[in-house]
Amino acid sequence: MIGAASAFRKAFGYDPDGVWAAPGRVNLIGEHTDYNEGLVLPFAIAERTEAAIAARPDGRIRVCSAQNPGELVEVDVTELEPGRPDGWGAYVAGVPWALDCAGGFDAAVDSSVPVGSGLSSSAALMCAVGLGLNELFDLGLSRRELARRTQRTENDYVGAPTGGMDQIASLLATRGHAIMFDVRADTTELVPFDPSKAGLAVLVVDSMVRHGHAGGEYRDRRADCEEAARRLGVHSLREVAVADLPAAERQLDNERLSKRARHIVTENERVGQVAAALATSRWDQVGALLTEAHVSYRDDFEASCEEVDAAVEALLGAGALGARLTGGGFGGAAIALVPIDTVAAARTAVASRYAEASYQEPTMFIVEPSEGAQRIA
Ligand code: GAF
């Protein structure tokens, strides 16, 4: 990573007005529950996206990215509309659009969050740009409002029907904590989360299988959940309690929709159970719930893939307390709660499992619950 400030000087030949950084996130537990008005428990990671920005007086927007060398996205602020520009540039241009920001700017971005690995590189990008524009143009938006607006960027400008978890984690999480977001109540609560104090680490295994959320399977899962809620006559699947599931499944009388609903309903329950287990430092129980969540995500939500399942199995076989697919699914990364003195063995177990199966070599790294978005220069 060369840093956004250097990329800015190189591209535009002058100094930016400021540099803002926003983190990716690991979702500890609570997958696809956010757009079902449910509970999620992500934490911000040290890997982040930087945006170096300078205001321009002429309404022009120019953006370059260290991850897309040689490309300069250019558009006038009055011309912004969904789909224009598209690709990675939409995640930047859609931010002033959603923030009702009328000013032009030059921006350079650089990131250490792997793209397409389920660690929310897109929210990191939107939130870094959003925080910067909010300050540079005195927009006066709270972080909670910035999270709402950047979700609008993703939903209405980029066209990906995601929930609001990733922006909340990137903008509101803090070091040493996970953040519980209750979407129906629209409340957030910081939950102390520091596995290192218990001699544990969160190991990420990026399967290198890439996913996107704009089309295909993510959208299909969301449609299934909404259809299940509609047939059950509830506003969202959050209204269904675990005890109501057998009756709900009888009413749905459809195997696919029953499985989707079962994942969402039991996942909400698990998020609460993980928060309770963290409060009393019952790490074995946290681990067991993560693994249960993986089984539900794999079998009921059918959102995993062979490579991530293999990583989960290898991690558990090597002594992880729990392991699961994290993020939007259909590829991406597994996370595992691993005793620190077992991390090396866990990495070796995954590497040999991948080599035996001739999967692409995975990337593995430890993540720490880190600070949310902030100005860095
Ligand atoms: C992606 C989405 F952006 C989130 O809103 C969430 O739905 C997640 O997938 C699945 O839990 O990260």
Side-chain angles (χ1 to χ4, degrees), residues 25 27 30-32 34-35 154 162-166 213 218 327-328:
R25 59 100 190 95
N27 189 17
E31 297 302 0
H32 290 250
D34 56 358
Y35 58 76
E154 191 162 27
T162 48
M165 162 172 69
D166 302 345
H213 296 326
Y218 185 98

Side-chain angles (χ1 to χ4, degrees), residues 74 269 280 292:
E74 275 204 80
E269 181 86 354
T280 47
E292 258 181 50

Side-chain angles (χ1 to χ4, degrees), residues 65-86:
S65 155
Q67 278 62 53
N68 299 275
E71 282 181 46
L72 184 71
V73 171
E74 275 204 80
V75 61
D76 202 87
V77 74
T78 56
E79 295 167 354
L80 293 175
E81 61 178 30
R84 180 180 178 181
D86 61 3

